[in-house]
Amino acid sequence: MFSWKGTWRNQYGSVVVIEDDSDGLIRGVFKTALPDSSFSGMEVPLHEAAHGDVIGFTSAALGKTGPAAVSYTGIFRDGKMEMLWHTVAGLALSADAEGEPAKLTQVGTWRAFGTSLDTFERVD
């Protein structure tokens, strides 16, 4: 039987560690490699479900620029997790002018969301 347990790394160096995959409920942690991410330098818990070759997981935490969440859904193909992800964060750092100190400001809903694709490969 297939096991999701293990360490998975995407093309940017971000890591998902799946510690338990019993009964289709998956638990582990997410560590981003992106320095401009709200989760940069953090290890955030993830909560997942999987059935057969499909998986979904979510992480949410108080990041460096306020509350943020990321949600991945994907499929296991050719030894890799092919994942679509969505992020949401309602605050961003911005400055009024060049040379001015940045401050946290609320962003519009249209800017709060992001979507992209990643490929995770098992590294252990």
Side-chain angles (χ1 to χ4, degrees):
M1 178 172 201
F2 177 75
S3 174
W4 293 97
K5 286 173 65 172
T7 301
W8 302 79
R9 182 176 295 123
N10 73 9
Q11 69 272 28
Y12 303 109
S14 297
V15 173
V16 168
V17 179
I18 299 174
E19 299 161 344
D20 183 18
D21 66 353
S22 57
D23 300 321
L25 299 176
I26 296 177
R27 287 166 293 286
V29 294
F30 173 71
K31 297 180 264 188
T32 185
L34 303 178
D36 61 347
S37 167
S38 183
F39 294 150
S40 179
M42 298 173 65
E43 186 174 277
V44 292
L46 55 87
H47 307 280
E48 311 174 50
H51 189 79
D53 62 354
V54 297
I55 189 169
F57 56 84
T58 300
S59 290
L62 180 59
K64 293 179 178 181
T65 57
V70 62
S71 178
Y72 283 87
T73 56
I75 193 164
F76 184 76
R77 285 292 190 297
D78 300 320
K80 302 172 186 172
M81 283 194 290
E82 301 290 348
M83 308 292 285
L84 172 68
W85 57 260
H86 302 282
T87 59
V88 63
L91 300 173
L93 280 173
S94 63
D96 292 332
E98 188 173 336
E100 294 292 319
K103 60 185 175 197
L104 281 175
T105 57
Q106 186 176 34
V107 297
T109 303
W110 65 270
R111 186 164 175 238
F113 291 87
T115 300
S116 194
L117 298 166
D118 282 348
T119 299
F120 283 85
E121 295 187 61
R122 192 186 303 264
V123 294
D124 77 346

